[in-house]
Amino acid sequence: MSTTNTAHLEAEKNTDAFKLAVSNLNRRLEKIYEGGGHKRIEKLHKEGKMSARERIEYLLDKDKPRIEIGAFAGYEMYQEHGGCPAGGVVVVIGYVRGRQVIVVANDATVKAGAWFPITGKKNLRAQEIAMENRLPIIYLVDSAGVYLPMQDEIFPDKEHFGRIFRNNAKLSSSGIPQIAAIMGACVAGGAYLPIMSDEALIVEKTGSVFLAGPYLVKAAIGEDADKETLGGAATHSEISGVTDYKMPDDKTCLDTVKDLVDKFGRFENAGFDRIAPQPAFGKPGDIFEIYPENGAKPYNTVELLRRLVDEGKLTQYKEHYGKTIITAYARIDGWAVGIVANNRQVVKNAKGEIQFGGVIYSDSADKATRFILNCNQKKIPLVFLHDVTGFMVGTRSEHGGIIKDGAKMVNAVSNSTVPKFSIVIGNSYGAGNYAMCGKAYDPRLIAAWPTAKIAVMGGEQAAKVLTQIQVETLKNKGEAPDPTGEKELFEKIKARYNSQTTPYYAAARLWVDAIIDPRDTRQWISMGIEAANNAPVEKFNVGVLQV
């Protein structure tokens, strides 16, 4: 068979595998979008209410793009409690009257909008995005408060429920607009969120806000009071003065929010460079042909990058040095960016020595460090594309100072003050995840393709290590398994470990903000830089950097 035919067959195989992965992603998302199910949505409609997603759809500009944060939050978690689709809250970055905002909407079809531990984490992530990017935040409140059976995991700690209100105060002191629309229940500690916002709207008959509901008031002080008298729209708009606008229905409330956003002033921007956007090279679906059906195979990383950047133009920095990392200047949707990408092709260094694709060697770490410093010097946002198995190991690497060179790269990533964006394409293992700006290193946004894997190491290697440990433990007890038993143990451990490396496992725990169709990568990065352009860039100081 000719080389051309072989390449064509490989491209078809890759495309089929990726289309299937994207189809599986979309099928899962469709289920998540149902929230607590159609019956509960119908119940909201009978009460005169819109669902969380309907409210967001009505609020946001129809002709503008949007991205959802944390759709997979809570995925396959809390099954003993009936599940928690999307973490019981919908978070979207979009536009209202042309102004970029982040919207946080409680989903009342999921346990009446109650807060699970992942709900708190997701709300904090939304506020973090707002604070980092000086992005106005709109809360569409409809929540029964803390999910009491799990209160010990959501109530008292630093990154729990109370941190939300602290962040309300911090956002306000930073001049970042917050608007809260009380469109359903708003109970107990949750009552502070809308009232600590700059302005609060409340919908008649359906909206209510109080520290204690009628049952608790009766139990605590013996007073009989109905919901409307205790904390309805009339009470708080006419008597207590707690809310600022009384609205007759959901749509009027959302229309008023639009009018309020329309009057916002503008922040001085950070000055990131943008010119007229140009399409990427080739067709959007070309990415499917390039990325291998078996993620362990090498592929042409430069050609993949050309499908992500405007006109496919890359200006490579130190192109012939440290070849297992690609560093390049480019534009994405018109925005100037600095790209740091793991090169998955097998390469040779200047000495003619083979270097494995996806592994960070000393020269690659040194090159990436220098490039990151340059981007900070020139105020160019950084985009990290992960497909990394880790740093090179072995005697030769250790003698060559791989730890020192890796530490330099981690230092540069940690102290970088230009906005960073991470896309996990394939593997993101071990310290490679850290050096490539994993979640712990404050990327403004971090998304994963359906092909992503995030873990300390690959499943095969991890399973071998864990199996050896367990076999030794059993030997010490005089219970050593036979070869068949050892193989069964290995397969069991590998299956469990592999299930924890999937992008769905990561997204459920908000290690990544979303799992995305690769064709949406440009939009994610572009909207992220637009948001980041609202906030000033701090002075860059790398600290102690061993050279």
Side-chain angles (χ1 to χ4, degrees):
M1 186 178 293
S2 70
T3 304
T4 303
N5 286 339
T6 301
H8 180 69
L9 288 173
E10 281 294 316
E12 285 189 341
K13 189 193 299 183
N14 295 343
T15 299
D16 289 345
F18 225 132
K19 283 183 175 178
L20 179 60
V22 170
S23 176
N24 289 336
L25 166 66
N26 290 332
R27 191 176 68 252
R28 289 178 170 102
L29 284 172
E30 286 171 9
K31 181 65 177 174
I32 287 168
Y33 294 160
E34 294 174 3
H38 294 296
K39 287 185 178 179
R40 290 178 183 172
I41 293 173
E42 288 172 9
K43 183 180 177 184
L44 289 183
H45 291 167
K46 288 176 182 177
E47 294 171 359
K49 296 165 68 175
M50 303 163 78
S51 71
R53 292 186 181 277
E54 288 169 340
R55 287 166 176 167
I56 291 174
E57 181 63 30
Y58 186 83
L59 176 66
L60 295 179
D61 295 347
K62 304 295 183 292
D63 60 342
K64 290 279 193 174
R66 63 191 67 173
I67 56 177
E68 182 168 351
I69 304 295
F72 279 98
Y75 180 70
E76 294 186 338
M77 296 168 66
Y78 313 118
Q79 296 304 309
E80 67 277 21
H81 297 278
C84 187
V89 61
V90 184
V91 176
V92 175
I93 299 175
Y95 299 82
V96 173
R97 298 280 173 87
R99 178 66 178 260
Q100 196 178 41
V101 300
I102 185 165
V103 184
V104 180
N106 300 113
D107 188 346
T109 69
V110 180
K111 291 289 190 295
W115 289 58
F116 282 68
I118 198 67
T119 317
K121 188 173 183 180
K122 186 170 174 179
N123 274 264
L124 288 171
R125 176 61 179 145
Q127 289 183 320
E128 179 183 42
I129 291 170
M131 284 190 280
E132 284 182 333
N133 301 291
R134 293 203 297 192
L135 207 57
I137 186 165
I138 299 168
Y139 306 99
L140 306 181
V141 185
D142 195 345
S143 171
V146 166
Y147 183 59
L148 291 178
M150 302 186 76
Q151 65 85 28
D152 60 321
E153 296 181 49
I154 180 61
F155 172 66
D157 210 345
K158 180 178 178 179
E159 299 296 329
H160 282 179
F161 192 57
R163 189 79 171 180
I164 305 288
F165 317 131
R166 176 264 188 194
N167 286 351
N168 281 140
K170 288 291 186 182
L171 284 157
S172 185
S173 70
S174 300
I176 299 167
Q178 298 174 89
I179 293 177
I182 303 165
M183 310 182 81
C186 186
V187 184
Y192 287 106
L193 184 147
I195 310 312
M196 291 188 73
S197 299
D198 302 325
E199 294 181 283
L201 304 85
I202 187 168
V203 178
E204 291 182 280
K205 297 180 182 177
T206 57
S208 60
V209 54
F210 31 64
L211 293 179
Y215 295 119
L216 185 54
V217 167
K218 177 66 175 177
I221 62 173
E223 180 185 356
D224 288 309
D226 63 75
K227 187 173 73 171
E228 281 298 311
T229 303
L230 190 62
T235 293
H236 286 310
S237 298
E238 300 171 19
I239 300 172
S240 73
V242 165
T243 55
D244 306 305
Y245 307 91
K246 183 172 68 171
M247 300 285 108
D249 52 45
D250 277 12
K251 287 189 176 181
T252 306
C253 181
L254 295 169
D255 284 334
T256 305
V257 171
K258 294 179 188 182
D259 289 338
L260 294 172
V261 173
D262 191 46
K263 312 301 186 297
F264 285 172
R266 300 277 176 176
F267 291 116
E268 182 180 350
N269 66 42
F272 303 130
D273 187 65
R274 191 183 198 188
I275 62 174
Q278 298 295 327
F281 176 75
K283 304 184 297 295
D286 288 352
I287 291 173
F288 294 173
E289 294 183 7
I290 296 169
Y291 192 86
E293 156 266 337
N294 176 351
K297 291 181 181 178
Y299 57 89
N300 193 325
T301 308
V302 170
E303 283 303 313
L304 186 142
L305 294 178
R306 294 185 67 209
R307 271 64 178 184
L308 296 175
V309 304
D310 291 12
E311 300 182 293
K313 290 182 178 178
L314 296 161
T315 303
Q316 288 200 51
Y317 172 81
K318 291 185 181 290
E319 180 179 355
H320 305 292
Y321 175 75
K323 295 180 183 179
T324 64
I325 282 184
I326 296 166
T327 48
Y329 299 107
R331 290 189 182 274
I332 293 179
D333 199 34
W335 295 104
V337 296
I339 293 173
V340 181
N342 303 111
N343 186 5
R344 282 300 308 275
Q345 289 189 301
V346 177
V347 298
K348 287 184 180 181
N349 63 18
K351 298 175 183 178
E353 298 164 336
I354 296 293
Q355 292 187 328
F356 300 105
V359 178
I360 303 176
Y361 290 77
S362 283
D363 54 356
S364 303
D366 175 69
K367 166 176 150 179
T369 300
R370 291 171 182 270
F371 183 72
I372 291 165
L373 300 181
N374 279 341
C375 287
N376 275 271
Q377 178 78 359
K378 296 186 282 190
K379 202 154 56 171
I380 299 174
L382 284 158
V383 176
F384 293 83
L385 297 165
H386 299 220
D387 199 345
V388 58
T389 52
F391 285 88
M392 191 59 190
V393 297
T395 306
R396 185 170 183 175
S397 292
E398 296 294 355
H399 291 182
I402 187 67
I403 294 175
K404 180 182 70 175
D405 292 319
K408 286 193 298 184
M409 186 175 173
V410 170
N411 188 331
V413 171
S414 301
N415 286 299
S416 178
T417 55
V418 294
K420 299 167 291 192
F421 302 89
S422 285
I423 307 294
V424 185
I425 290 174
N427 302 320
S428 188
Y429 290 157
N433 171 274
Y434 300 162
M436 293 296 294
C437 195
K439 184 65 184 289
Y441 291 81
D442 299 320
R444 296 295 178 95
L445 294 174
I446 177 169
W449 288 3
T451 45
K453 294 179 181 178
I454 301 172
V456 172
M457 63 180 74
E460 188 85 15
Q461 301 96 312
K464 285 178 181 177
V465 173
L466 293 169
T467 302
Q468 288 170 5
I469 292 170
Q470 289 204 25
V471 168
E472 285 301 317
T473 301
L474 291 169
K475 280 182 180 177
N476 292 336
K477 294 178 180 179
E479 303 171 4
D482 58 25
T484 301
E486 188 172 329
K487 185 178 180 182
E488 288 175 356
L489 180 62
F490 169 78
E491 293 298 335
K492 182 179 178 182
I493 291 172
K494 188 171 97 168
R496 185 179 73 239
Y497 191 91
N498 281 340
S499 72
Q500 295 175 358
T501 69
T502 70
Y504 298 100
Y505 191 90
R509 290 152 183 81
L510 289 174
W511 301 346
V512 295
D513 292 318
I515 306 170
I516 63 172
D517 184 324
R519 293 169 293 192
D520 295 332
T521 303
R522 282 167 53 85
Q523 179 175 298
W524 266 75
I525 294 169
S526 178
M527 287 187 67
I529 298 174
E530 182 181 348
N533 203 33
N534 287 315
V537 176
E538 297 175 9
K539 184 178 179 181
F540 179 61
N541 186 347
V542 78
V544 177
L545 186 64
Q546 295 189 41
V547 294

